Structures are given as structure tokens and as C-alpha cells.
């Protein structure tokens, strides 16, 4: 049965409650922390050696699509009515709009230490102690909008700029490319600091705290953010029927990117699935 992923702003009170409850149960069982671990393990940057699958690479989109599917499968084993909602950050743009409500993800971190103290994921509630991370903090942190040096979420027109690009990705397939839909959406730009973050990356920065690290999965907003990124990929596919995942084949011998990116028909670690097989999610879920 094909299920639906909804805009988080349209969830009913019951849907909100069930989604939160399933996340907390996954955390209680220890399964959630395995997702945090996987994301840290696959955080390989441009400057490092080896295969890049999750970030700074063409497979950024299919890797996170499969990652979300795995989380969603785990949630649906707990409650089969649950799916991952998406957060359209071009519309819900303030620090108090959804998903930052008490019945969903809770609000901003407090000024002193950025600790999230409201909602179901607040440390004092006892259900969301961080166990896996790049720092030793036990509590979830956020700095919505980055109070000290304010940032704005990406705008609809910035997202359109990515959606307009008719080519999926271009050589050298990394964080430096200035053309191609993938990096315009992933958001590694030119320049320094704030000016260089776009779309997906800018949202991680805007949320701040745990979201600005390889352990970003510790903030459940990670899933809502990536569900929207995944939806945008679907929209791009509908708009540009002539192009699909690139590269089709490995870069030529001698190319520094050879063996560092996943080609269309190659397996996408840690899973037994190829980008090509992840191209169409229509038989599994749809977006409302
Ligand atoms: Cu990621
Ligand atoms: Cu991300």
C-alpha cells in the first residue's frame, strides 16, 4: 500500500501525537541512536579520501531517500499509521511556527546553553538523552535563526533557482560545483561563511545546535527537513523529464573522482540498492 507523507502544518493533533510517540519509542529501544551512528559514519567530506555517498556527492539525494525510508520502516513497525511529515521551510519560517510547537518538536534552545526545554524532546522530560554525538552534550540544542548573528531560512526563489537547473549534477561531482540541481539544493556555495550556505545546508545552520554537525540526526527535525528535500527532488524530476541521476558510469581512469562517487547502477553503501532503483518512490510513498 502506498502511503502519504504530509506537510507537517496539516497534521491533526492525533497524527502529531502518534508521530512523536513512535519516535520516542524508537529512541527507547535504542534503534534511533543507530541512525545517528550511521549518519556520522557516512559523513565523508570532499577533503577526505574514499567514497562519498551521503554528502558532497551526487548520491546525497538517493542516500538520504533510503535513510528516510529505513527510519520510516522502523517507525511504521511501531505504528503503521505513521509516516515522516515534511517541513516546507519556504512557508513555515518563524521560530514559533510548526514544527517548533510543544506538541511536535518543541521550541528553541534557551539562551544560556541552547538546551531545548519545551516539548517532548526536552532533556528534562527524560525521553531524549543524546547518546551518540560528536560532542559530549547529553541534551538536544537549538539556536533557531542564530540569535547572535541572524540568518534567514532559504526563500522560495532560492529554491526555484535550484529547481530550474535542468541537469542533475556535473563533474567533479563534489561541493565545489556551481552548476547542477544536486549541489544547488544540497547547498555548498562559493564564498565564505553565511554567504556560502544555501537551501539544505542553510536550513541546518538556521536550526543550529545539534543540526550543525554529523550528529544532526539527534534533532528529529532532521527527518522533516530531509523529507522536504526529498519532495523537492521529486518536483525536479517531474519538471525535468530528460535528465536523471548522474554520473551514469564511473569517472574515467585517472580522474581524481574515480572511485569516490557512486554511479547510477552501483550499490549505495550501506545498502543493497542503487541510485537508479531509488529514482522513483511512487510505489512506496507519495507527497500530499
Ligand atoms: Cu545527511
Ligand atoms: Cu541534511
Amino acid at each position: 500500500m502506498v502511503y502519504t507523507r504530509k506537510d507537517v502544518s496539516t497534521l491533526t493533533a492525533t497524527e502529531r501525537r502518534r508521530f512523536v510517540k513512535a519516535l520516542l519509542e524508537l529512541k527507547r529501544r535504542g534503534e534511533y541512536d543507530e541512525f545517528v551512528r550511521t549518519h556520522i559514519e557516512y559523513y565523508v567530506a570532499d577533503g577526505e579520501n574514499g567514497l562519498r555517498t551521503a554528502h558532497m556527492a551526487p548520491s546525497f539525494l538517493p542516500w538520504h531517500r533510503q535513510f528516510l525510508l529505513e527510519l520510516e520502516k522502523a517507525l511504521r513497525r511501531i505504528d503503521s499509521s505513521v509516516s515522516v511529515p515534511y517541513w516546507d521551510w519556504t512557508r513555515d519560517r518563524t521560530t514559533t511556527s510548526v514544527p517548533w510547537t510543544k506538541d511536535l518538536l518543541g521550541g528553541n534552545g534557551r539562551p544560556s546553553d541552547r538546551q531545548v526545554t519545551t516539548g517532548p524532546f526536552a532533556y528534562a522530560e527524560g525521553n531524549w538523552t543524546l547518546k551518540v554525538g560528536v560532542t559530549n552534550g547529553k541534551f538536544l540544542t537549538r539556536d533557531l535563526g542564530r540569535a547572535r548573528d541572524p540568518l534567514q531560512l532559504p526563500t522560495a526563489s532560492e529554491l526555484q533557482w535550484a529547481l530550474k537547473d535542468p541537469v542533475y549534477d556535473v563533474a567533479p561531482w563534489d561541493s565545489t560545483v556551481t552548476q547542477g540541481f544536486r549541489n544547488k539544493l544540497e547547498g555548498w556555495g562559493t564564498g565564505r561563511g553565511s554567504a556560502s550556505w544555501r537551501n539544505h545546508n542553510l536550513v541546518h545552520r538556521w536550526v543550529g545546535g545539534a543540526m550543525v554537525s554529523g550528529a544532526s540526526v539527534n534533532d528529529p527535525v532532521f527527518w522533516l527537513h530531509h523529507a522536504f528535500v526529498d519532495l523537492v527532488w521529486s518536483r525536479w524530476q517531474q519538471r525535468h523529464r530528460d535528465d536523471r541521476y548522474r554520473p551514469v558510469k564511473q569517472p574515467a581512469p585517472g580522474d581524481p573522482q574515480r572511485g569516490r562517487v557512486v554511479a547510477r547502477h552501483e550499490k549505495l553503501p550501506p545498502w543493497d540498492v542503487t541510485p537508479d532503483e531509488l529514482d522513483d518512490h511512487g510505489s512506496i510513498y507519495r507527497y500530499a
Side-chain angles (χ1 to χ4, degrees):
M1 270 292 283
V2 178
Y3 58 87
T4 302
R5 289 185 183 169
K6 297 175 184 163
D7 185 320
V8 68
S9 69
T10 70
L11 296 192
T12 64
T14 306
E15 287 169 336
R16 291 176 182 213
R17 190 172 46 77
R18 294 180 84 151
F19 174 62
V20 166
K21 208 177 155 204
L23 278 172
L24 296 180
E25 174 58 15
L26 206 62
K27 176 77 171 174
R28 195 192 62 77
R29 294 180 182 183
E31 290 178 49
Y32 192 91
D33 291 317
E34 291 307 313
F35 286 93
V36 185
R37 210 167 268 128
T38 299
H39 193 263
I40 293 172
E41 191 184 335
Y42 283 85
Y43 206 99
V44 176
D46 281 331
E48 301 173 55
N49 292 318
L51 181 69
R52 301 187 309 281
T53 54
H55 308 98
M56 301 182 176
S59 50
F60 165 70
L61 292 166
W63 194 92
H64 285 85
R65 175 166 286 176
Q66 184 62 29
F67 194 47
L68 257 76
L69 277 169
E70 297 291 333
L71 183 273
E72 207 163 39
K73 267 189 257 174
L75 292 176
R76 289 169 67 82
R77 279 194 291 269
I78 293 167
D79 181 345
S80 62
S81 78
V82 168
S83 61
V84 178
Y86 61 87
W87 168 35
D88 181 344
W89 28 258
T90 68
R91 291 183 181 206
D92 295 307
R93 306 178 57 78
T94 75
T95 60
T96 51
S97 62
V98 279
W100 314 114
T101 54
K102 272 192 181 149
D103 60 348
L104 267 168
L105 304 187
N108 201 359
R110 65 187 177 193
S112 57
D113 58 0
R114 295 292 160 210
Q115 182 174 162
V116 172
T117 56
T118 55
F121 305 95
Y123 181 69
E125 293 290 311
N127 301 317
W128 205 261
T129 300
L130 308 196
K131 305 228 164 88
V132 181
V134 287
T135 58
N136 295 318
K138 287 187 166 55
F139 49 82
L140 179 60
T141 51
R142 287 181 191 138
D143 183 8
L144 303 182
R146 205 174 61 175
R148 240 197 289 173
D149 183 12
L151 285 172
Q152 298 299 319
L153 283 165
T155 59
S157 66
E158 183 166 319
L159 191 56
Q160 285 306 316
W161 163 78
L163 268 165
K164 264 191 309 213
D165 197 311
V167 178
Y168 179 81
D169 204 353
V170 296
W173 322 107
D174 59 8
S175 69
T176 69
V177 292
T178 55
Q179 295 299 311
F181 166 68
R182 188 275 308 170
N183 196 35
K184 286 181 179 177
L185 178 59
E186 187 177 0
W188 304 101
T190 49
R192 278 163 157 258
S194 315
S196 71
W197 306 319
R198 304 193 198 291
N199 289 314
H200 154 268
N201 281 344
L202 180 54
V203 174
H204 277 272
R205 296 282 166 174
W206 185 89
V207 175
M211 273 287 272
V212 188
S213 78
S216 49
V217 175
N218 274 321
D219 193 331
V221 78
F222 174 92
W223 308 104
L224 283 69
H225 173 35
H226 272 277
F228 186 59
V229 169
D230 190 74
L231 173 157
V232 171
W233 181 23
S234 297
R235 275 190 202 153
W236 179 86
Q237 289 177 324
Q238 284 161 16
R239 209 191 274 196
H240 306 283
R241 299 260 174 209
D242 299 338
D243 200 41
R244 281 297 176 264
Y245 185 94
R246 293 164 185 253
V248 179
K249 296 215 166 74
Q250 272 298 318
D255 188 313
Q257 290 299 324
R258 188 172 171 84
R260 302 205 53 206
V261 294
V262 174
R264 189 188 293 177
H265 302 284
E266 294 175 341
K267 298 289 185 207
L268 186 55
W271 304 291
D272 189 27
V273 63
T274 69
D276 190 59
E277 289 161 351
L278 287 165
D279 194 67
D280 181 7
H281 59 73
S283 63
I284 307 169
Y285 62 89
R286 279 167 218 269
Y287 285 104

